[in-house]
Amino acid sequence: MRLKKKFFEQNTLRVARELLGKTLVRKWRGKELRGVITETEAYRGFSDKASHACLSGRQAYLSGRQVSRGITPRTALMFGEAGRAYVYLIYGIHHCLNIVTEKNGYPAAVLIRSIWLSDSQMTINGPGRICKFLHIDKTLNGEDIIKSRKLWIESNLAAQRPNKILRGPRIGIDYAGEWKDKPWRFYLAIGQPNRIKRKNKMLS
DNA sequence: GCCAGGATCGTC
DNA sequence: ACGATCCTGGCA
């Protein structure tokens, strides 16, 4: 069953956690490409320095330079309605898929980082690779995944809640000061690359 | 216009 | 450890 808007209007940390085990569906050229979500990250609020929507990022300097944060044409979606896709290009090469969460006016989204392809028993790991595999690019930016015929998320009737949910700090945001250590990355043990498994072992 | 930098990835 | 590659947005 397709997830409704109410689901995405909840607290972003909860949405990020509960998206684990749900199925991301992309309809492309008549085919439905499906993957079970196995890793997410929450980006939340006006002062999360890792978030594109961080207002204080405007005044913050990164290597002596102002960064593009806060309400801008690109990030306006994050401030808007829950259940929209926020797709952006990073490093000039990769697209990243986020789902906007929480109430209109409150900037937040969940980044989809890994999916499990149950058909082929393999993992697509990394937001860039997911978008490449599912043919997601900026033409899907702003897509309403509650109603869309191209992109949506389903809850599975069977196998509802995954056994063990792990969490840790978010990836690739070392610049984010005190926000870089917040454990806002949620993931299942399945489908994690070895380097991350190793890191987790070292932490435990 | 100019230009530095990025919620990444593949290769070295 | 590094380079690819292009969009973004602050500044001039």
Side-chain angles (χ1 to χ4, degrees):
Chain A
M1 199 174 72
R2 185 188 279 236
L3 295 184
K4 300 190 180 73
K5 187 173 176 185
K6 260 210 156 38
F7 175 87
F8 298 101
E9 283 177 333
Q10 302 176 96
N11 183 294
T12 309
L13 299 181
R14 178 170 184 166
V15 175
R17 195 179 65 234
E18 296 200 354
L19 276 177
L20 298 177
K22 304 284 194 290
T23 301
L24 177 64
V25 188
R26 163 69 165 135
K27 190 158 187 180
W28 184 76
R29 297 194 181 170
K31 290 179 294 193
E32 283 186 4
L33 309 168
R34 313 176 142 262
V36 176
I37 297 169
T38 56
E39 181 182 0
T40 60
E41 279 176 3
Y43 290 83
R44 177 169 199 269
F46 298 96
S47 48
D48 174 6
K49 286 203 180 110
S51 170
H52 292 172
C54 177
L55 294 179
S56 61
R58 291 183 151 182
Q59 289 96 23
Y61 279 74
L62 230 58
S63 348
R65 190 157 203 297
Q66 276 192 324
V67 293
S68 312
R69 300 266 154 171
I71 308 175
T72 70
R74 178 177 68 142
T75 64
L77 267 167
M78 282 189 74
F79 290 80
E81 272 183 85
R84 300 294 188 110
Y86 169 47
V87 182
Y88 65 91
L89 182 69
I90 189 157
Y91 302 115
I93 304 175
H94 309 288
H95 291 277
C96 294
L97 169 67
N98 299 254
I99 312 300
V100 176
T101 55
E102 307 215 24
K103 293 201 184 97
N104 209 334
Y106 186 84
V110 173
L111 173 67
I112 311 294
R113 291 194 61 90
S114 297
I115 57 174
W116 166 255
L117 309 178
S118 50
D119 295 343
S120 49
Q121 298 280 105
M122 62 181 264
T123 293
I124 308 284
N125 197 272
R129 282 189 283 253
I130 289 175
C131 286
K132 186 177 177 196
F133 178 82
L134 296 179
H135 302 96
I136 291 169
D137 60 21
K138 282 180 54 181
T139 61
L140 289 179
N141 192 32
E143 190 81 2
D144 180 354
I145 72 162
I146 312 303
K147 298 174 186 161
S148 174
R149 282 181 297 180
K150 299 177 188 167
L151 185 69
W152 65 91
I153 299 176
E154 294 174 0
S155 61
N156 314 343
L157 294 175
Q160 195 42 266
R161 196 164 288 251
N163 273 354
K164 191 172 183 183
I165 293 174
L166 305 169
R167 64 189 290 186
R170 295 169 290 179
I171 305 291
I173 53 147
D174 286 349
Y175 58 80
E178 70 271 28
W179 295 85
K180 83 174 159 66
D181 297 319
K182 291 206 177 291
W184 287 6
R185 169 173 169 259
F186 298 85
Y187 56 104
L188 303 179
I190 189 173
Q192 295 306 316
N194 288 330
R195 63 186 158 81
I196 293 179
K197 279 186 186 159
R198 229 178 292 130
K199 205 184 213 174
N200 292 336
K201 193 170 277 183
M202 283 162 58
L203 291 173
S204 63

